[in-house]
Amino acid sequence: MFVRNGNEAGFWIKRTTWANTCAKVVSVGEFKGPPPYFGNPKVFAEIYNLDTGAMIDPNGKISVPGTYKTWRRIDPPEWATKD
């Protein structure tokens, strides 16, 4: 997802096992292995309540970020795009 986003953070994700939470990726560590997992770099994100937009954790660590079976990229929540 990071590579598809032009090697830029700032995209939104949801874990398939999360109920009503989502995360905005804010940083991705150095790649130390080959694709598709790239050595599972450290990934940090802001964790939010998907329904309300309330921040749950401003410095959440995303575990096993290279696991395609667990993570999905999502469109920004509606509340995140309001000015």
Side-chain angles (χ1 to χ4, degrees):
M1 287 180 266
F2 179 74
V3 171
R4 287 186 180 165
N5 201 54
N7 292 335
E8 296 282 334
F11 56 93
W12 291 83
I13 60 173
K14 185 171 186 343
R15 189 172 178 152
T16 57
T17 57
W18 286 352
N20 66 332
T21 56
C22 63
K24 181 178 181 182
V25 174
V26 295
S27 70
V28 176
E30 179 183 354
F31 288 178
K32 295 182 179 181
Y37 302 113
F38 300 100
N40 282 322
K42 290 183 180 179
V43 176
F44 291 93
E46 298 169 341
I47 311 295
Y48 293 90
N49 179 296
L50 184 58
D51 297 326
T52 67
M55 185 178 288
I56 297 169
D57 185 350
N59 299 303
K61 184 172 186 227
I62 303 300
S63 60
V64 290
T67 307
Y68 290 130
K69 294 178 182 179
T70 307
W71 299 100
R72 300 290 183 269
R73 184 171 177 168
I74 62 170
D75 290 332
E78 186 177 313
W79 47 260
T81 58
K82 292 181 179 178
D83 290 0

